[in-house]
Amino acid sequence: MSLPKRIAQGGRNHRLYLLGSWGLLALLAFLVPFLFAETFAPELFGNKYTVSLANVNKSLAWAVAILGLTVLTGFSGQISLGHTFFVGTGAYTSAILVEFFDWPYLATLVVVIPMCLVIGLIIGIPAVRITGLYLALITFGLAAVFPSIPKIEQLADRDGWNTGGSNGLRVSKDLETPSWLPTNGIAEFLQGIPLIGGMFGSDGLPRRGADDVYVYFLLLLVAAIAFLLVRNLMKSRPGRAIIAIRDNPTGAQVSGINPAAVKTIAFGISGILGGVAGVMFTMMAQFVGPDEFTTNLAIFFVVGMIVGGVGTLGGSIIGGLAIVFVPAWAGQTETLPIADIEFGAEFGPLILGVLLILLMFAMPGGITSGFRQVRARLVQIIPRAPST
Amino acid sequence: MDLFLARLFDGLGSGATYAALAMALVLIFKATTLINFAQGELALLGAYLVLVLGVEQGLPIVVAVFLAMVITAVFAAGLERVFIRPFDPSDHLPLVIVTLGLFLGINSVAGVIWGHGARDLPSMFPDGNLYSRGVANLSWVTVGNVATVLATAGALYLLLNKTKIGLAFRAVSSNLESSELVGINIGRTLQFGWALAAAVGTLGAALAILTLFLEPTVMLRVLIFAFAAAALGGLDSLGGAVVGGFVVGLVRSMGVGYLDFVPSELGVGAAVVVIIAVLLIRPTGLFGSEQVQRV
């Protein structure tokens, strides 16, 4: 058999290929929450790297935030360093509604989505005129402003609802696994499988972990819907218009696209996704604080987007995983074979920085483009001839 | 009136430090049309070098600052050679990521070597006040900061306009290809830009530390205002960076002081609002050159 294997689009093999790859992905997504930190920790050079479910949940939230950034920067070409503004607004609004008005977590989306849409549109209007690095600097300013907003006295120290000031706001309402969801049964079933069962621990789910598994599936659902909607959007007329504005503003304009409207809308959509990511963060952390939404996080979003691959949807997921796990694992790296130094958590950013630079030397298009290059060597999909 | 003077002096003092860092950013932007996110951290490294040379080694503080400027300049030239030059200068995203990587790396190294505690630097300028009136004190530090920044701006102007390497630098920043054709060594010239920017940034950090404490996160707080100053003045205008720095400094001290509804936490917010307002009218900043687009 010669590589690359050629598969005709729309044929039986292509359907099998799609079913196989998506099926594998779905299976992996299904199994991940049951791989527990205590029982499943890959080892490398004598360091143990834990896959904590809280971190997985966080990367789902950040994947949606990076998806928003992908729409804005990857598809419409406007650089934003201020996405924490949307994420923070969504997270705080959700936390306040749940804590003081006893709303269900997911119901807060009803308020957060229109709110972040409006904020996105408001920021998008000046962005029509201010472009490039100037826009990047302004949005960076927004990211820098955000942590001080919850600390404003009128919001932090008022009667009734408040933001909790610099201490942050803890949400006391837990997300409890509904009785119809047999997460414990699934865990016991997986643990019963011979040979690999040990990776899933023993004696069902631990009490604390049980609800994390439920949160994981909720977040996975929200993220999947967000990705599906964005994928469809980018294939539709407005989505094509967004890409056209990025590739050739003048050409798009003479084709009848209104660049101001399209750019503003892109900002709005991106804002919505940021807000949704914020709600996901509140669900996962049950805590919001000014120190969670710093300029560093805003930079990390951009880093995640570029590491994953600019302008690719799959890259957002990779980016979300990367910005959570690389710093976490870098902090858990205590020894390296190249140098006899005592490592620790404070080396985390250094290792992340080094990895970033190495990645740019090895794969300037991000991990997605590297993955596509590898895939192109193995499988080649022959597009169907257009029907006339 | 006293209160106004106090806020004026305060704004000028902090504006001077923003202006110094903004000049460093502008130098890099002129050379590479790139924003160097690691600029603040290079300056941070410089400030720690001042600490090592001036406090631990006991050199006179002015000598320590000068030596730190030289060392960071050499270091930045090395960084440019190793990390920046291998990349295609017209593709910005990988370069931005590399500077972000440097930002994370240098910041973490500074934290590891010198710890996270706040340190204090001795002043280059005499203690006390030049002028005092009620609550308004014009300290020697403020005067020194403003004078140093203005002198630096003047020196940079002379360097760029009266020397051969300055001419080469301006040629490269205006047209990369043509300057290569007339025989300018592009890599060497850009390296010069990086070194110069690092030296100016170190000076800016040494000034900023006079009113703040030296800790690994200090430059991030200053850098945001420096970004604002550079954007306000126009990213490719050195004079604009100086003006932008002082405007941002004054807006911050006056905005928080006089507008009661602006809480003191929102000083950055006041600066951002002013920049948006200015950029809406002039999208390339007050003194930036217009970007002409060809169809």
Side-chain angles (χ1 to χ4, degrees), chain B residues 42-69 71-72 109-124 202-203 205-207 209-210 212-216 218:
Chain B
L42 276 172
L44 179 77
L45 209 60
Y48 274 112
L49 282 174
V50 174
L51 179 83
V52 169
L53 295 168
V55 179
E56 290 168 13
Q57 302 295 323
L59 289 173
I61 190 73
V62 180
V63 179
V65 170
F66 182 74
L67 275 179
M69 284 168 69
I71 296 172
T72 46
V109 167
V112 168
I113 299 179
W114 289 289
H116 291 273
R119 312 283 277 269
D120 209 0
L121 274 187
S123 174
M124 285 175 274
T202 297
L203 185 64
L207 297 181
I209 301 304
L210 297 181
L212 301 163
F213 287 105
L214 181 57
E215 52 185 332
V218 67

Side-chain angles (χ1 to χ4, degrees), chain A:
Chain A
M1 196 179 83
S2 68
L3 290 172
K5 186 168 167 49
R6 286 159 191 265
I7 300 177
Q9 191 187 15
R12 186 165 161 274
N13 278 343
H14 185 230
R15 280 204 298 275
L16 263 179
Y17 167 77
L18 286 181
L19 197 71
S21 44
W22 284 107
L24 264 182
L25 199 66
L27 184 69
L28 189 69
F30 179 76
L31 288 183
V32 159
F34 298 103
L35 291 167
F36 270 98
E38 304 86 55
T39 48
F40 182 76
E43 256 191 58
L44 189 71
F45 307 132
N47 304 300
K48 265 190 178 269
Y49 297 105
T50 53
V51 187
S52 93
L53 194 54
N55 276 349
V56 175
N57 286 345
K58 200 182 202 174
S59 30
L60 275 176
W62 291 168
V64 173
I66 295 175
L67 180 70
L69 203 57
T70 298
V71 171
L72 190 67
T73 309
F75 292 131
S76 100
Q78 310 181 76
I79 303 175
S80 163
L81 281 172
H83 244 58
T84 43
F85 198 88
F86 299 113
V87 178
T89 310
Y92 262 99
T93 311
S94 168
I96 288 168
L97 285 175
V98 172
E99 179 67 16
F100 295 101
F101 300 93
D102 203 28
W103 286 36
Y105 279 94
L106 283 176
T108 59
L109 285 173
V110 179
V111 177
V112 167
I113 288 177
M115 191 166 158
C116 287
L117 172 69
V118 171
I119 297 176
L121 293 177
I122 292 173
I123 299 174
I125 291 168
V128 170
R129 214 169 133 69
I130 305 166
T131 52
L133 286 170
Y134 287 94
L135 182 62
L137 293 182
I138 287 183
T139 48
F140 193 62
L142 287 176
V145 173
F146 186 81
S148 5
I149 293 178
K151 291 186 201 160
I152 298 173
E153 239 173 81
Q154 289 89 333
L155 292 175
D157 289 335
R158 60 194 296 282
D159 301 329
W161 65 269
N162 60 65
T163 58
S166 42
N167 293 330
L169 178 64
R170 187 158 290 288
V171 186
S172 45
K173 189 179 195 169
D174 287 329
L175 279 159
E176 277 174 28
T177 319
S179 50
W180 50 264
L181 199 72
T183 45
N184 205 27
I186 297 172
E188 277 172 358
F189 169 74
L190 290 169
Q191 286 157 4
I193 301 175
L195 295 176
I196 59 163
M199 287 192 334
F200 300 102
S202 56
D203 299 330
L205 292 175
R207 254 200 72 72
R208 248 193 66 74
D211 292 335
D212 274 352
V213 175
Y214 171 58
V215 172
Y216 169 82
F217 281 115
L218 270 184
L219 296 184
L220 190 68
L221 185 73
V222 175
I225 293 173
F227 272 84
L228 197 70
L229 290 179
V230 170
R231 193 192 72 146
N232 289 348
L233 172 80
M234 295 324 293
K235 287 187 173 173
S236 71
R237 193 184 169 88
R240 296 294 190 222
I242 289 177
I243 296 176
I245 290 286
R246 172 197 70 183
D247 289 344
N248 189 337
T250 322
Q253 205 166 358
V254 288
S255 309
I257 296 170
N258 179 351
V262 169
K263 279 183 166 183
T264 318
I265 289 170
F267 241 107
I269 294 169
S270 171
I272 291 178
L273 289 165
V276 172
V279 175
M280 291 167 79
F281 176 80
T282 307
M283 287 167 73
M284 158 272 135
Q286 295 191 1
F287 173 76
V288 286
D291 297 335
E292 301 286 338
F293 308 104
T294 55
T295 46
N296 263 1
L297 183 64
I299 291 177
F300 270 30
F301 285 155
V302 179
V303 167
M305 177 184 70
I306 297 173
V307 165
V310 180
T312 59
L313 297 183
S316 317
I317 301 177
I318 299 173
L321 290 170
I323 59 172
V324 174
F325 280 101
V326 173
W329 283 351
Q332 287 173 1
T333 306
E334 278 161 2
T335 57
L336 273 183
I338 44 169
D340 195 20
I341 310 173
E342 193 72 7
F343 281 84
E346 51 185 10
F347 278 93
L350 175 64
I351 296 178
L352 184 67
V354 172
L355 283 178
L356 267 181
I357 294 173
L358 287 180
L359 183 80
M360 283 304 113
F361 275 98
M363 271 186 252
I367 291 174
T368 314
S369 83
F371 171 73
R372 282 180 181 165
Q373 278 169 13
V374 173
R375 192 182 57 182
R377 298 221 176 140
L378 302 176
V379 183
Q380 198 174 21
I381 295 182
I382 316 286
R384 203 175 358 192
S387 56
T388 43

Side-chain angles (χ1 to χ4, degrees), chain B residues 34-38 84 95-104 194:
Chain B
L34 186 80
I35 294 211
N36 180 9
F37 282 92
I84 306 295
L95 285 169
V96 169
I97 289 299
V98 169
T99 64
L100 285 176
L102 289 174
F103 162 81
L104 293 171
W194 273 73

Side-chain angles (χ1 to χ4, degrees), chain B residues 7-17 138 142 145-146 245-246 249-250 253:
Chain B
R7 284 166 186 160
L8 179 75
F9 297 152
D10 188 34
L12 284 177
S14 52
T17 62
L138 181 59
T142 305
N145 275 357
V146 174
F246 285 118
L250 286 174
S253 64

